[in-house]
Amino acid sequence: MAIVAQNSKFGIFGRPILAWVVAMVFFFPIFWLVFTSFKTDADAVKPEFLFFFTPTLDNYLNMTENYDYWRFATNSVITSVLATAVALFVGIPAAYAMAFNPARHTKDILMWMLSTKMLPAAAVLYPMTFLAKGAGIFDTHFVIVLVLALINLPIVVWMLFTYFKEIPKDIIEAGQMDGVNTWGEIKEILIPLAWGGIASTALLCFIFCWNEAYWTVRLTTTDAATLSKLIEGNRAPEGLFFGRLSAVSAAAVGPIVVLGWFCQKQLVQGLTFGAVK
Amino acid sequence: MGQIVLENVVKKFGDTEVIPPLNLTIEEGEFAVFVGPSGCGKSTLLRLIAGLEDTTAGKVLIDGEDVTEVPPSKRGLAMVFQSYALYPHMTVRKNIAFPMRMAGMSQAEQDEKIEAAAKSLNLTDYLDRKPGQLSGGQRQRVAIGRAIVREPSAFLFDEPLSNLDAALRVGMRLEISEMHKRLKTTMIYVTHDQVEAMTMADRIVVLQGGVIEQVGTPLELYHTPRNKFVAGFIGSPKMNLLEGAEAKKHKAHTIGIRPEHIKVSTKSVKGAWKGTVGVAEHLGSDTFIHIHGVEGCDPMTVRAAGDVAVKHGDTVYLSPDKSQIHKFDDAGLRI
Ligand SMILES: Nc1ncnc2c1ncn2[C@@H]1O[C@H](COP(=O)(O)OP(=O)(O)OP(=O)(O)O)[C@@H](O)[C@H]1O
Ligand SMILES: [Mg+2]
């Protein structure tokens, strides 16, 4: 059945075409965003310039004065990097313990951690806001890093746990016999062996942090506001400036797209460390 | 350095008791072999000594010091795993250096020991390779190298040779035995291969279901097995066990006679057991003949000379060496 399909006309031509169509559907909004970002605000809303227009870089050149882009971008970088670091710092030892010293309820704890992701964020919106304000950390990097790290922790632990599980327990035990303490084990054996997995976990966590909008929008006003806040904040009043908005949006998602693109290979490579039975 | 004592050690996994209260002393410098059928708890016992498993009850003492609560990294023992468990991301050199580096040994001293270990294990040409680029035998050598450089108070081996082919296994067996003679360090060696046990051990510990059936030198176990289980487990081919009328004659529930203690003849002999040849396995030096039709033991295995002329279907007469008959009571214990 599968063999027939592969050799049929559909198998040879249909599948690639289908794949391209699907890819296009996903890619189109981004393409359109970037496309629009090269139009002037005036051109962007005119149907006659839908495809043919004189491209301009003004939207990008004026991004800083129009939107104070770099301030938001800096906040995004700071919070995403720190939150990822915190999540890994907590997640690696946690996943290590669960993978190599499972106790009776380890599986339950993992399930429970994941189940927290099913809680609607809106349910804790008010408590979180009051807590942040009450503690005097509203609109600080600290609260954003904390929240971003916490909401990604379940995913981070799960991912690391599955990667760590692939490391033969014998190797960890050999380390113990060779006189390594727990931190040494993590540093000398676990991290080098699971490097690829840790890198992809970190990347994913970073992307999630960067893209996070619910909390970053609601727990900040100006000081710690990220790119999500920037885009969200300009939705209504500047609704007509499609060109500018497209440019700043492209600049907001751009770093992540580029990062993902470059890390692809390195991630795959990291996963194929010298196979040893 | 290197006396290991287990005092009333118990190990449970959940509710299943894998090791009931067990007492054992392994003397300093001894080569002790744990042998027994699969699942009898050999690895568990070794891991309890290593500290890789926690004891449910009882104590583990190394050189008189209670180490029950001491983590494996602080017990000063070295272990060689069946899977070799080399660090795949490190070269052979780094693998061997690892325990020394962890112990904070100087670089010069490390280098010196690596050279010496590599030389004695024929690894000099492979020091800069990763484990993935080595054969099974070479990996096992690296694992042994990693164990010796740190001069442990005892070596623990868990079926280190069972992933190797037969020829290599014999070679490595000798190397390990020689290493023991040279270093005179306590070694505990787990295997389910009774030939390895017999050839390497100073003392063999036979286990079944977590219980020690007998502890003794290879020859003690061979000549005076304490019970039917040990009698059947030690020796190759296995001891023949006969029940019924023949055993009654010796006032026993069961009698045992090893294949090498039976004479086989094609001519009728008075008082001999009569049987028919089933399969004759010619090894060159010896022939193992499997004989059917002897009452109380079918088939009965006999070890005969390499050039014995018998074939399938021949009638043969078997006369056991009376002095070599082992007698067991109805509980299976030696009389
Ligand atoms: N982590 C564990 N959890 C539950 N049961 C276990 C665990 N490890 C071992 N066991 C059980 O303990 C018993 C003894 O296991 P052990 O590995 O010590 O046997 P062994 O004598 O080494 O066998 P083999 O020759 O097959 O290696 C077995 O019945 C096994 O199922
Ligand atoms: Mg075992």
Side-chain angles (χ1 to χ4, degrees), chain A residues 142-154:
Chain A
F142 178 78
V143 73
I144 295 301
V145 168
L146 194 68
V147 167
L148 290 181
L150 285 178
I151 60 178
N152 285 308
L153 200 55

Side-chain angles (χ1 to χ4, degrees), chain A residues 169-170 172-180 185, chain B residues 2-6 9 11 19 22 24 26 34 41-55 59-62 65-82 147 150 152-158 186-190:
Chain A
K169 197 170 185 221
D170 279 0
I172 299 289
E173 291 180 341
Q176 294 175 0
M177 295 306 295
D178 282 346
V180 194
E185 248 166 64
Chain B
Q3 187 210 41
I4 294 168
V5 178
L6 302 178
V9 164
K11 178 65 190 176
I19 312 260
L22 179 146
L24 179 66
I26 290 152
F34 293 172
K42 308 179 292 288
S43 298
T44 305
L45 202 55
L46 196 72
R47 292 167 56 81
L48 285 169
I49 295 171
L52 296 171
E53 300 285 355
D54 294 327
T55 53
K59 277 198 237 170
V60 180
L61 306 161
I62 298 178
E65 190 190 333
D66 185 350
V67 295
T68 317
E69 302 297 326
V70 176
S73 56
K74 301 254 162 61
R75 294 197 185 186
L77 307 174
M79 183 148 168
V80 176
F81 294 79
Q82 181 177 3
R150 51 183 303 224
S153 55
F155 289 92
L156 311 177
F157 295 91
D158 193 353
T186 311
M187 292 190 180
I188 306 181
Y189 188 102
V190 165

Side-chain angles (χ1 to χ4, degrees), chain B residues 91-93 96 114-115 118 123-129:
Chain B
T91 60
V92 169
R93 185 189 301 278
I96 297 178
I114 292 169
E115 290 308 323
L123 287 171
T124 312
D125 295 340
Y126 306 101
L127 280 175
D128 294 312
R129 291 205 196 171

Side-chain angles (χ1 to χ4, degrees), chain B:
Chain B
M1 287 271 286
Q3 187 210 41
I4 294 168
V5 178
L6 302 178
E7 269 182 28
N8 295 314
V9 164
V10 178
K11 178 65 190 176
K12 289 185 187 173
F13 287 112
D15 293 330
T16 39
E17 191 173 63
V18 176
I19 312 260
L22 179 146
N23 288 289
L24 179 66
T25 301
I26 290 152
E27 295 302 340
E28 184 190 326
E30 188 170 52
F31 197 121
V33 173
F34 293 172
V35 66
S38 185
C40 69
K42 308 179 292 288
S43 298
T44 305
L45 202 55
L46 196 72
R47 292 167 56 81
L48 285 169
I49 295 171
L52 296 171
E53 300 285 355
D54 294 327
T55 53
T56 309
K59 277 198 237 170
V60 180
L61 306 161
I62 298 178
D63 294 322
E65 190 190 333
D66 185 350
V67 295
T68 317
E69 302 297 326
V70 176
S73 56
K74 301 254 162 61
R75 294 197 185 186
L77 307 174
M79 183 148 168
V80 176
F81 294 79
Q82 181 177 3
S83 63
Y84 320 131
L86 301 176
Y87 309 120
H89 57 299
M90 298 180 196
T91 60
V92 169
R93 185 189 301 278
K94 293 227 168 88
N95 261 282
I96 297 178
F98 189 75
M100 298 190 280
R101 187 157 63 84
M102 290 304 119
M105 213 178 263
S106 77
Q107 190 64 47
E109 202 177 344
Q110 286 184 29
D111 289 344
E112 191 182 312
K113 290 201 166 187
I114 292 169
E115 290 308 323
K119 211 166 147 209
S120 75
L121 292 163
N122 280 326
L123 287 171
T124 312
D125 295 340
Y126 306 101
L127 280 175
D128 294 312
R129 291 205 196 171
K130 294 259 177 82
Q133 302 162 304
L134 299 177
S135 72
Q138 289 162 343
R139 285 182 206 175
Q140 194 54 276
R141 280 190 173 75
V142 177
I144 292 172
R146 187 175 65 179
I148 42 180
V149 287
R150 51 183 303 224
E151 296 172 6
S153 55
F155 289 92
L156 311 177
F157 295 91
D158 193 353
E159 308 206 22
L161 308 185
S162 55
N163 283 342
L164 303 180
D165 67 49
L168 211 52
R169 205 145 66 201
V170 175
M172 285 301 288
R173 198 166 84 194
L174 282 172
E175 277 186 46
I176 294 175
S177 292
E178 257 168 42
M179 190 171 101
H180 179 248
K181 299 269 178 300
R182 200 173 62 236
L183 300 175
K184 300 186 177 64
T185 311
T186 311
M187 292 190 180
I188 306 181
Y189 188 102
V190 165
T191 178
H192 58 247
D193 177 348
Q194 59 91 25
V195 178
E196 271 176 28
M198 291 295 282
T199 52
M200 300 174 89
D202 292 329
R203 249 177 2 136
I204 299 179
V205 178
V206 184
L207 289 158
Q208 188 191 202
V211 176
I212 296 179
E213 296 287 349
Q214 189 169 0
V215 183
T217 65
L219 291 182
E220 275 167 18
L221 299 195
Y222 178 83
H223 290 299
T224 52
R226 208 173 65 83
N227 57 30
K228 249 164 57 179
F229 176 80
V230 177
F233 198 81
I234 298 291
S236 169
K238 270 177 138 92
M239 181 189 281
N240 298 294
L241 295 168
L242 290 86
E243 287 179 3
E246 204 57 46
K248 288 259 163 52
K249 283 189 203 158
H250 293 88
K251 298 193 184 67
H253 180 266
T254 309
I255 57 166
I257 179 81
R258 295 195 184 275
E260 51 271 42
H261 297 141
I262 301 175
K263 268 217 192 67
V264 61
S265 159
T266 47
K267 294 190 200 77
S268 172
V269 179
K270 200 166 147 273
W273 301 323
K274 189 178 161 196
T276 322
V277 175
V279 175
E281 296 173 303
H282 296 279
L283 305 185
S285 56
D286 301 300
T287 306
F288 297 146
I289 313 170
H290 302 275
I291 293 155
H292 297 291
V294 178
E295 198 192 321
C297 178
D298 199 350
M300 176 169 271
T301 309
V302 175
R303 184 171 129 189
D307 54 2
V308 67
V310 293
K311 58 180 190 305
H312 177 80
D314 285 357
T315 299
V316 287
Y317 299 87
L318 309 172
S319 12
D321 177 345
K322 290 273 183 328
S323 67
Q324 297 289 352
I325 289 179
H326 304 264
K327 293 178 249 179
F328 303 100
D329 65 17
D330 51 2
L333 292 176
R334 179 181 195 84
I335 304 174

